Amino acid sequence: MSNPVFSNSDVFGEPRRTARGGGAATAPSPYGQPQYGQYGTAGAQAADAASLENMYNAPSATTADTKRLTYDDVIIKTGGLLALLVVVAAATWTFAPGLWPVGMIAGLVLGLVNAFKKKPSPVLITLYAVAEGVFLGGVSLLFGSIAGENAVGVVLQAIVATMATFAAALFLFKSGRVRVTPKFTRWLLIALVGYMAFSLINVVLTWTGVLEGWGMRSGALGIIVGLVAVGLAAASLIVDFDAIKRGVEQGVPSTYAWTAAFGLIVTLVWLYLEFLRLIAIFNSSE
């Protein structure tokens, strides 16, 4: 797994395997597995004919009745958090763009807290969306100004590119053209570690004055690195989709829709930032 929100979750993480007699077997999911015979024969004999008839005639239970996770739950929660993030970002852009460092720090802290919580907290996840809105509102104006063009135009390009990439990743996953295999996730993990190491070195060299401007992310090299980062974020989205699909199929509680939405927001924010930086670098190098 690439996204820590999903990889650290007992619900959305890869199924654990337990050895049995020298072999490997996937541990059963704690959700959605029917427990036959748990009441014994005595309970069955105690049920009268009327009760059995009522049970037979009753409609089948839906995921809403059992309060299990559905794709609609994830879509609604994700859409709501995105709407909140956009509203806060627009307000920050207009009234207080200088607060973006506060939003960045708050978003980082809340992101780590939510990523390592065993059970989702709707309040903390909502606060994360607010913090990211403050961060993105200010930093979007900053990057737009650096690009030397209309800042609104730069941001709109980044938003359209993010949504297009999200749609493309979803299509590739749903169509089966890209499958999440152990080899795929291993390759992605190695690539992400390498990218993080490169970014950290670049930040240190820039902050210490060894390099100026964008550092190693300037010019043609910066554009290439930006394209690679966009590819990694898109691949992470596909892994996120696979984790959500696994959660739905296992019948996990519907409350984990908050975790799924939070994980998607984390990846979408990263993807947007990479497009924003890429567009700013491309325009500033012209």
Side-chain angles (χ1 to χ4, degrees), residues 24-264:
T26 303
S29 168
Y31 305 105
Q33 301 297 332
Q35 303 297 322
Y36 299 108
Q38 67 185 78
Y39 299 110
T41 56
Q45 293 173 352
D48 55 22
S51 298
L52 290 175
E53 184 177 358
N54 289 335
M55 292 172 61
Y56 179 79
N57 293 328
S60 300
T62 64
T63 52
D65 297 325
T66 57
K67 299 186 182 302
R68 292 180 180 175
L69 180 67
T70 66
Y71 292 115
D72 287 343
D73 293 334
V74 178
I75 292 171
I76 292 172
K77 297 294 190 301
T78 304
L81 290 175
L82 276 177
L84 176 62
L85 189 153
V86 170
V87 169
V88 174
T92 304
W93 171 297
T94 305
F95 301 108
L99 289 178
W100 70 265
V102 177
M104 179 182 67
I105 296 173
L108 178 61
V109 173
L110 288 169
L112 291 173
V113 171
N114 283 305
F116 290 97
K117 280 183 66 66
K118 293 300 181 182
K119 294 184 178 180
S121 170
V123 173
L124 291 179
I125 291 173
T126 301
L127 289 176
Y128 169 80
V130 172
E132 287 300 306
V134 173
F135 169 58
L136 293 183
V139 82
S140 295
L141 181 60
L142 177 62
F143 273 69
S145 302
I146 292 175
E149 293 186 354
N150 182 2
V152 175
V154 173
V155 170
L156 287 178
Q157 292 178 55
I159 292 175
V160 170
T162 301
M163 293 298 100
T165 303
F166 178 86
L170 183 59
F171 169 76
L172 291 173
F173 174 74
K174 290 289 290 182
S175 65
R177 296 175 185 270
V178 177
R179 298 183 181 277
V180 180
T181 62
K183 183 178 180 180
F184 180 87
T185 53
R186 188 164 52 249
W187 166 85
L188 180 59
L189 178 61
I190 294 173
L192 286 173
V193 171
Y195 173 72
M196 291 175 60
F198 171 86
S199 299
L200 180 60
I201 293 173
N202 188 57
V203 168
V204 171
L205 293 178
T206 302
W207 285 358
T208 56
V210 176
L211 298 176
E212 298 180 352
W214 298 98
M216 293 184 288
R217 301 199 66 162
S218 301
L221 177 60
I223 294 175
I224 294 173
V225 172
L227 292 173
V228 170
V230 166
L232 293 176
S236 296
L237 273 176
I238 293 176
V239 176
D240 294 348
F241 296 149
D242 183 69
I244 293 172
K245 177 175 179 288
R246 187 163 51 249
V248 171
E249 291 176 346
Q250 291 177 352
V252 305
S254 60
T255 185
Y256 284 94
W258 285 100
T259 302
F262 169 60
L264 287 176

